[in-house]
Structures are given as structure tokens and as C-alpha cells.
């Protein structure tokens, strides 16, 4: 009897531990928290160094950029400054912004029409929320084909691959634009993002603009399920899947391709040229775009310059134009100005592109006009 | 250990007289009420949040094989997710049960005491690994290893429909099932170990005295005696597998299809779907995911009820 009782207790303990572990795992969101360091040289880099704590949340795609810039900003400004960025995803960030729990949201896409009313409401009556484009980057198309080190893919071919109309690597549509490359008689395994993502939004936007006949789906942060293929959660999972799976193809921000050593394709533009992804090519493509009054950038997919890489994403910070909290406003303006100004130079080292000068100067004007 | 066992009549069932007894009764009663309140609160929350979204659904929620709740009109159905949830859990139970029974029989009847204790600790340690770690391990380490195994199964056992392969291996329901099997193994092993320890020594000794070998003794006495305990252990493991979230979300490359080709990527489970989509879902999308959670709640409840029924029916035979 005694053995039975202790055994039962042990069994229950095992269950309790596993339950607790399960709960802990569920709650493990990737948060980024930065604490100030003490190398003070206030006033450098054109920042005024307001004191205080700034809370922000949102996109995972720009988490590395914000973390790096926040660290650099805190290093410049010394103690008394803390910037917290909780990388829970764009949707969570926008929700937190609407609820007023963060000073700004990082988002992979500008505020959608469904979110505009709630976001404006948070800013107070008569005020509007604005999108500030701050962190751009090229979207790479990575592939896994033994012995193939250079591959050209047009928007038409990509649209057909990702909608399941081309299923073999030696399909004539692919071999025709890749003379001299021996492509295997192997199944193509397209991997997309299963979670909502700005990378998906911008990639499908590119497909839809360059080949609406083969890609009839409008740009969407959710990959259209009807297009087929399999989905992986997060850019790192897509990259891992492409890296592990012979015949696979996937899309992710270029920094993932660089860090995982995944070969990337040259991508077709409107003129039929093929361009290797690069941060300079992405920046000059973005420079051709036009900014709307709400801050959102529309890319010019008709751009025919062979120096411009046409498959890009721009991520935004969403703030109130007027109606920001008076206590955090100085720090908010100063940090965002740093992101749009001196901080842009740090982005390439972290796998992102820098903003074109025209967009950056427009951002600085917007940021200077932010008010409480 | 055996859930649903009939309780002996409590001789102290009357009103307690000592203050200690009264306080203790209050505490235990409070704990029981708390559990019921929590369950009811969860069920109510799920139902309240789910109903508005379900009203917006323009097709049959139970049979539709599409999940686009935030499109207009909203279209979503639970069929593929329920199928994937049951399939991955079934694979997990099929793999984990024999291994867990083997481990616990070895620990209780074969291993020297010291080795048995060490082995017990190691099995329990499996339960202490966070599920996100299992997920990352499956994503980066196990997935490439599953490819040759899947290819082998497809080549040699392809006549068995689930083992049909189309050449796309890894990140499959099969791999998700393997990961789940590893995660539920410690639960089943720990519980069955206690079940086997309960077998009265007098019965095992009697079998041995009648000339039974160790294997015959296990087969004729230990396993039948522990049957109800084994069933409830497996059901507890199954419950864990049904609800596992992040490990499946990371390991399984999902699609919104129903397929019994377990070696290929595709399909998804309710819990993994919720984890993947909730962060960015719109208002109807969130409600739809909560409705999916409600279905998972119901599925788990049914599984538990079935398990309890099975145990209750078996029990008179062994007690």
C-alpha cells in the first residue's frame, strides 16, 4: 500500500511537471528586452537622448533591426534609456497599439482598412495613426538543387511554381530561361509561410503585379491556401525546410539565405532581366516607389532598371500623428529619428537594406511633426 | 492510478467534529469546486467567443475543408484539423505504447534495482523537456533523419496505403507523430510502471510456482491485471498528444488538406493551427480559432469519457 501511494504521487508529479512545462512552452514568446549600458556620450549621432522607457511590439521580421538599433541608441545615450520591443508578430503589435499598451507598433504592412478606425481611436478624437516606413529588405527565393549554383526565375515561373502549375524542375518553362544549367527531373516542393507575414504579403504582391494571369490572388499576408504547397511557421522554419529538402523552394528575407548559406535565384523584373538580390538593389527599387499620404509605399513593379531588385518588403512603425503620450513623446521622436537617420547605416550589417534618401527624409519630416 | 476506480465508502463521511477535520474538509472541497469552476469557465469562454464567428461562417463548420475566416464571406471548417489531430495522436499512441510498456516491464520485472531506478529517472526526464525544444529538435535534427526512413517505408511497405509516398518526405504527419510519441512516452511509462508494481506478489509468485516462465508470468498475470491501468495511461498520453501545440506547429509543414499519406508533408492539427494563426487573425479569424479550440475541448472530453468507460468496464474483472 505504501509503495502504491508514493508511486501515485510520483506519477502525479510527473504529470504536473509536464503540464507546467507545457504551459511554460506555450508562453515562451520571443520577447526582446534591452537594458541600458553605461557608455555615455550624449548628443552624438544627432540624437538628443531623452530619458525614460519606450515600449513597442510587433513584427518579427524587423525584430533584429530594432534590437540592434535600440542597443546602439542606448549605448549612445547611456543609462536612463530603455527600449523594449516585444516581437510577437505584426498583428499582436497592432492590437497592442490599438489598446494603448505600446508607444508604437512594428508592422510588416501598413495599417489595413479594418485596423484604421481602432488605431485612430487610440490616438484620440480627430487624430490619425501614421505608418512610417523604416526597415526595408530584399526577399530572396532560396532553393535546394544539388549541383545548381545559379538559377534564373521569372515572375511567371514563380507564379506557376507556387500555384502548383509547374511541378518538375526540368519543366520547359524553367529550362528555357536557364540555358546551360542542368536541371533534374525532380519534383518541386514549394514551401510558403503558414503564419501571416509581411514577407508573404510582399512576395504575393510582386507575383500579382508581374503575372496576374498566373497569380490571380491579391496580395495577402496569408498565403492563399488554394495555391497549394506546404506551409512552415516563421521564416527560419521555411529556411530550414529549404535547406533540408532536396528539390525545395521557398521565400524569406535575404538575411536568412545569407546566414543559412542557401543558394538564391535571380529574379525577373518587368523588363525580363534577372537580378540577384542585394540590399543596394532593393533600396534603389524602393526609391522608385511612391508614398501615400498615410505613409504607405506603393512599389513600382513596372520598374525596368536592371540594377533594381523587384522582390522587396518594407516594414513600418505605426505611431499616432498627434495624441501620443506626452511623457514618452520626446523619447519616441528621438528614437524614431535615430532609426530614420544615423541608425539606417547599421541596417545592412544586420541583413536589411537602408532606406532610400528620399524616403528617409520624408520619414524625418513626419517624425519631427509627431505631437502629444 | 486507475482513474474511475470505485471508491471505498468513507467511514468518516458524517459531519466532522474536530476543527482540523472541518478545515481540511473545507480545503479539499474548495479544491474540487475550483477545478469544476475552472473547467466551466474555460468552456463558457470558448463557447461565448466562438458563437459569433460560427454565425458568420457561410458553410458547414464540420465538413468544410477550407480555413479563410477573415475573407468576405467568411469560410471555415474544422474537418481537416480534426482529422489531422486524431491522425497525429493515433500515430503517437501506436508508437509510444509498446515502447512505454517495454520500458516499464523492464524496469519492474527485469532490471536490477539500481539500473531500474536510473532508467526511471531518465524516462521522467523526457517529460521535463519543454515542448518547444522538442519542436526545434524535430525541425532541425529529426526532419533530415526522417527522410531516409520515410523513403524506406514507402519503397518496401508502399502497398499499405498510408505509406504511399510521392517523394516529398520529412516534416510530415509521421514525423509529428514520432515527436508526439516521444513526448507522451514518459506519461505512459510512469503510469504503467506504477500499475505493474501493484500486481500482488502472491499472484506472480503463484504463476512462477506453477512453472510459468518470466514471459508467461507477465503475459498471464501482470498484463491482464494491469489492463485497465494501461488503458488509462494510454488515454492520458493520448490527451497530451491531442493538445500538443508548439512542437507540432514547428515540425509539421502544414496544408489544409485531408490525406492519409502520413509520410508526406501536409495536414495540420487544431492546436498547431491555433498557435500558428492566432497572432495575426482578424476578429472572425480569432473567433474561428476559438471555435476550433472548443472542438478540441470536446474531442478531448469524448476521449476521456471513452477511456473512463473502458476502465470502468474492465475493473470488476481485476479487483
Amino acid at each position: 500500500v505504501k509503495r502504491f501511494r508514493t508511486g501515485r504521487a510520483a506519477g502525479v508529479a510527473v504529470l504536473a511537471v509536464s503540464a507546467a512545462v507545457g504551459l511554460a512552452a506555450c508562453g515562451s514568446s520571443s520577447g526582446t528586452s534591452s537594458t541600458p549600458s553605461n557608455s555615455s556620450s550624449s548628443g552624438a549621432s544627432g540624437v538628443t537622448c531623452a530619458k525614460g522607457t519606450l515600449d513597442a511590439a510587433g513584427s518579427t521580421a524587423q525584430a533584429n533591426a530594432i534590437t540592434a538599433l535600440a542597443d546602439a541608441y542606448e549605448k549612445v545615450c547611456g543609462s536612463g534609456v530603455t527600449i523594449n520591443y516585444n516581437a510577437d508578430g505584426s498583428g499582436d503589435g497592432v492590437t497592442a497599439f490599438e489598446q494603448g499598451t505600446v508607444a508604437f507598433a512594428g508592422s510588416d504592412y501598413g495599417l489595413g482598412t479594418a485596423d484604421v478606425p481602432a488605431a485612430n481611436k487610440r490616438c484620440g478624437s480627430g487624430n490619425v495613426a501614421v505608418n512610417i516606413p523604416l526597415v526595408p529588405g530584399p526577399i530572396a527565393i532560396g532553393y535546394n538543387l544539388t549541383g545548381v549554383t545559379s538559377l534564373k526565375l521569372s515572375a511567371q515561373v514563380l507564379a506557376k511554381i507556387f500555384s502548383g502549375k509547374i511541378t518538375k524542375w526540368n519543366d520547359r518553362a524553367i529550362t528555357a530561361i536557364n540555358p546551360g544549367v542542368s536541371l533534374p527531373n525532380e519534383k518541386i516542393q514549394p514551401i510558403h509561410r503558414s503564419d501571416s507575414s509581411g514577407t508573404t504579403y510582399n512576395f504575393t504582391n510582386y507575383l500579382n503585379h508581374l503575372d496576374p494571369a498566373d497569380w490571380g490572388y491579391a496580395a495577402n499576408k496569408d498565403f492563399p491556401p488554394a495555391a497549394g504547397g506546404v506551409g512552415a511557421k516563421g521564416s527560419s522554419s521555411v529556411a530550414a525546410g529549404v535547406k533540408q529538402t532536396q528539390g525545395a523552394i521557398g521565400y524569406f528575407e535575404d538575411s536568412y539565405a545569407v546566414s543559412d548559406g542557401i543558394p538564391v535565384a535571380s529574379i525577373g523584373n518587368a523588363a525580363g532581366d534577372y537580378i540577384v538580390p542585394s540590399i543596394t538593389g532593393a533600396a534603389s527599387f524602393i526609391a522608385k516607389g511612391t508614398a501615400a499620404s498615410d505613409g504607405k509605399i506603393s512599389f513600382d513593379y513596372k520598374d525596368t532598371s536592371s540594377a533594381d531588385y523587384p522582390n522587396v518588403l518594407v516594414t513600418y512603425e505605426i505611431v499616432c500623428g498627434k495624441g501620443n503620450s506626452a511623457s514618452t513623446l520626446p523619447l519616441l521622436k528621438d528614437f524614431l529619428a535615430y532609426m530614420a537617420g544615423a541608425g539606417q547605416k547599421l541596417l545592412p550589417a544586420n541583413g536589411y537594406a537602408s532606406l532610400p534618401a528620399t524616403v528617409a527624409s520624408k520619414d524625418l519630416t513626419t517624425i519631427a511633426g509627431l505631437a502629444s | 492510478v486507475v482513474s474511475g476506480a470505485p471508491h471505498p465508502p468513507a467511514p468518516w463521511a458524517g459531519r466532522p467534529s474536530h476543527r482540523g477535520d472541518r478545515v481540511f474538509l473545507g480545503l479539499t472541497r474548495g479544491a474540487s469546486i475550483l477545478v469544476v469552476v475552472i473547467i466551466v469557465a474555460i468552456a463558457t469562454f470558448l463557447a461565448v467567443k466562438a458563437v459569433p464567428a460560427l454565425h458568420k461562417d457561410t458553410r458547414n463548420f464540420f465538413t468544410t475543408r477550407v480555413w479563410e475566416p477573415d475573407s468576405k464571406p467568411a469560410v471555415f471548417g474544422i474537418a481537416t484539423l480534426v482529422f489531422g489531430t486524431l491522425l497525429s495522436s493515433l500515430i503517437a499512441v501506436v508508437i509510444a505504447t509498446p515502447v512505454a510498456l517495454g520500458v516499464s516491464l523492464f524496469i519492474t520485472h527485469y532490471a536490477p534495482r539500481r539500473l531500474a531506478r536510473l532508467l526511471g529517472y531518465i524516462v521522467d526526464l523526457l517529460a521535463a523537456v519543454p515542448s518547444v525544444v522538442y519542436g526545434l529538435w524535430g525541425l532541425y535534427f529529426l526532419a533530415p533523419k526522417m527522410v531516409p526512413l520515410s523513403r524506406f517505408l514507402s519503397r518496401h511497405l508502399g502497398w499499405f496505403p498510408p505509406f504511399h509516398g510521392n517523394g516529398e518526405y520529412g516534416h510530415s504527419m509521421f514525423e509529428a507523430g514520432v515527436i508526439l510519441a516521444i513526448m507522451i512516452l514518459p506519461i505512459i511509462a510512469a503510469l504503467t510502471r506504477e500499475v505493474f508494481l501493484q500486481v500482488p506478489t502472491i499472484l506472480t509468485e503463484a504463476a512462477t510456482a506453477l512453472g510459468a516462465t518470466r514471459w508467461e508470468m507477465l503475459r498471464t498475470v501482470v498484463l491482464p491485471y494491469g489492463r485497465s491501468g494501461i488503458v488509462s495511461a494510454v488515454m492520458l498520453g493520448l490527451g497530451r498528444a491531442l493538445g500538443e501545440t508548439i512542437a507540432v506547429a514547428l515540425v509539421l509543414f502544414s496544408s489544409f488538406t485531408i490525406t492519409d499519406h502520413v509520410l508526406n508533408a501536409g495536414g495540420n492539427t487544431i492546436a498547431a493551427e491555433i498557435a500558428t494563426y492566432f497572432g495575426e487573425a482578424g476578429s472572425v479569424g480569432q473567433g474561428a480559432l476559438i471555435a476550433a479550440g472548443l472542438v478540441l475541448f470536446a474531442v478531448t472530453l469524448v476521449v476521456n469519457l471513452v477511456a473512463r468507460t473502458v476502465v470502468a468496464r474492465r475493473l470488476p474483472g481485476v479487483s
Side-chain angles (χ1 to χ4, degrees):
Chain A
V1 170
K2 190 157 184 277
R3 191 167 61 178
F4 167 77
R5 292 202 168 184
T6 51
R8 183 178 186 129
V12 169
V14 167
L15 285 175
V17 166
S18 62
V21 162
L23 284 175
C26 289
S28 71
S29 58
S30 50
T32 320
S33 162
S34 313
T35 42
S37 59
N38 282 323
S39 61
S40 165
S41 63
S42 301
S45 305
V47 294
T48 55
C49 288
K51 300 284 178 211
T53 300
L54 196 59
D55 290 321
S59 152
T60 53
Q62 54 175 305
N64 293 334
I66 294 201
T67 309
L69 294 187
D71 281 352
Y73 181 83
E74 286 163 357
K75 204 167 273 175
V76 168
C77 291
S79 59
V81 179
T82 308
I83 293 158
N84 299 313
Y85 183 73
N86 195 3
D88 274 345
S90 303
D92 281 0
V94 170
T95 305
F97 175 77
E98 289 166 0
Q99 292 169 343
T101 56
V102 293
F104 70 88
S107 177
D108 294 352
Y109 26 82
L111 280 175
T113 45
D115 277 314
V116 167
N120 289 350
K121 193 174 164 210
R122 176 251 155 104
C123 297
S125 65
N127 298 333
V128 293
V130 293
N131 306 291
I132 306 176
L134 279 170
V135 182
I139 302 173
I141 307 295
Y143 62 90
N144 181 339
L145 285 171
T146 313
V148 178
T149 50
S150 132
L151 186 69
K152 291 174 184 164
L153 296 171
S154 63
Q156 288 74 20
V157 166
L158 283 169
K160 285 178 179 156
I161 287 177
F162 278 94
S163 59
K165 289 176 200 137
I166 293 180
T167 57
K168 287 286 177 75
W169 276 109
N170 63 353
D171 191 285
R172 279 187 49 152
I174 308 178
T175 53
I177 57 174
N178 287 284
V181 180
S182 92
L183 290 162
N185 177 20
E186 218 171 76
K187 250 189 110 127
I188 304 178
Q189 300 184 39
I191 303 174
H192 57 255
R193 287 281 295 274
S194 60
D195 48 339
S196 300
S197 117
T199 319
T200 301
Y201 179 89
N202 286 287
F203 177 54
T204 54
N205 202 20
Y206 160 81
L207 293 180
N208 183 249
H209 272 86
L210 274 92
D211 185 13
D214 290 308
W215 192 265
Y217 313 101
N220 196 323
K221 55 189 175 156
D222 295 315
F223 191 85
V230 291
K233 185 174 158 60
S235 291
S236 39
S237 295
V238 176
V242 170
K243 194 169 183 175
Q244 293 162 3
T245 316
Q246 172 75 14
I249 185 169
Y251 59 88
F252 28 76
E253 204 176 76
D254 193 38
S255 54
Y256 289 92
V258 173
S259 61
D260 284 6
I262 298 171
V264 297
S266 303
I267 296 307
N269 68 2
D273 295 323
Y274 295 93
I275 300 114
V276 178
S278 70
I279 46 183
T280 50
S284 70
F285 180 79
I286 294 165
K288 306 271 170 68
T290 48
S293 61
D294 62 0
K296 282 195 250 182
I297 296 182
S298 317
F299 302 127
D300 177 18
Y301 285 107
K302 295 198 176 76
D303 179 9
T304 53
S305 165
S306 61
D308 299 352
Y309 182 75
N311 188 11
V312 299
L313 64 82
V314 170
T315 61
Y316 299 84
E317 314 314 323
I318 294 166
V319 293
C320 291
K322 289 193 173 62
N324 292 291
S325 153
S327 60
T328 57
L329 181 68
L331 181 56
L332 175 71
K333 285 175 75 166
D334 197 42
F335 179 64
L336 290 180
Y338 175 73
M339 284 185 75
Q344 287 289 322
K345 294 194 192 72
L346 302 178
L347 289 180
N350 290 286
Y352 299 87
S354 294
L355 283 174
T358 49
V359 178
S361 70
K362 201 168 175 191
D363 283 352
L364 287 169
T365 313
T366 310
I367 293 163
L370 298 180
S372 58
Chain B
V1 165
V2 180
S3 49
H7 301 286
W12 52 84
R15 179 155 280 277
S17 47
H18 295 286
R19 202 177 59 171
D21 275 328
R22 277 202 305 276
V23 169
F24 193 71
L25 173 68
L27 287 175
T28 53
R29 188 181 280 159
S32 313
I33 292 170
L34 185 67
V35 169
V36 174
V37 166
I38 289 171
I39 285 288
V40 169
I42 291 175
T44 314
F45 163 81
L46 290 173
V48 166
K49 291 275 182 182
V51 166
L54 288 173
H55 276 301
K56 293 222 169 73
D57 195 357
T58 50
R59 282 196 229 158
N60 189 321
F61 177 66
F62 292 102
T63 55
T64 304
R65 299 185 188 181
V66 185
W67 195 270
E68 292 175 49
D70 286 322
S71 68
K72 289 191 169 71
V75 176
F76 56 96
I78 199 76
T80 51
L81 297 178
V82 170
F83 178 82
T85 305
L86 293 176
L87 179 64
S88 57
S89 303
L90 179 72
I91 296 170
V93 165
V94 167
I95 297 173
T97 304
V99 178
L101 288 182
V103 169
S104 39
L105 284 177
F106 182 75
I107 287 176
T108 51
H109 286 88
Y110 287 96
R113 180 169 294 220
R114 209 179 284 169
L115 178 63
R117 190 176 300 161
L118 180 70
L119 207 54
Y121 281 132
I122 292 174
V123 171
D124 290 351
L125 205 59
L126 277 180
V129 177
S131 54
V132 67
V133 172
Y134 279 115
L136 292 172
W137 181 75
L139 175 65
Y140 289 107
F141 178 84
L142 188 62
K145 312 276 185 283
M146 293 298 287
V147 174
L149 175 62
S150 302
R151 195 166 286 143
F152 175 86
L153 289 174
S154 171
R155 188 174 301 154
H156 298 285
L157 297 170
W159 47 265
F160 181 49
F163 287 159
H164 271 310
N166 66 0
E168 303 180 14
Y169 300 120
H171 303 290
S172 57
M173 273 290 169
F174 181 45
E175 189 191 345
V178 169
I179 289 283
L180 290 175
I182 299 170
M183 299 176 75
I184 66 174
L185 194 141
I187 295 172
I188 304 179
L191 293 178
T192 50
R193 189 173 62 202
E194 299 310 321
V195 170
F196 295 146
L197 283 174
Q198 279 181 69
V199 177
T201 321
I202 195 162
L203 292 181
T204 57
E205 282 175 353
T208 313
L210 288 169
T213 64
R214 185 82 65 97
W215 154 238
E216 284 165 340
M217 183 269 284
L218 293 177
R219 188 167 50 101
T220 56
V221 175
V222 176
L223 286 176
Y225 187 91
R227 189 156 49 197
S228 64
I230 294 169
V231 170
S232 50
V234 170
M235 288 300 156
L236 273 171
L238 182 62
R240 170 103 165 88
L242 288 170
E244 177 47 41
T245 306
I246 199 68
V248 178
L250 284 170
V251 164
L252 180 68
F253 280 13
S254 59
S255 69
F256 224 78
T257 49
I258 290 183
T259 171
D260 64 342
H261 294 184
V262 299
L263 299 181
N264 301 327
N268 207 358
T269 70
I270 294 176
E273 174 90 358
I274 296 174
T276 303
Y277 284 99
F278 199 82
E280 307 265 344
S283 59
V284 181
Q286 293 191 353
L289 290 172
I290 288 172
L294 187 63
V295 172
L296 179 61
F297 193 77
V299 168
T300 313
L301 202 68
V302 169
V303 166
N304 264 320
L305 286 177
V306 169
R308 277 175 180 269
T309 316
V310 170
V311 172
R313 212 172 48 215
R314 299 281 191 205
L315 219 91
V318 292
S319 56

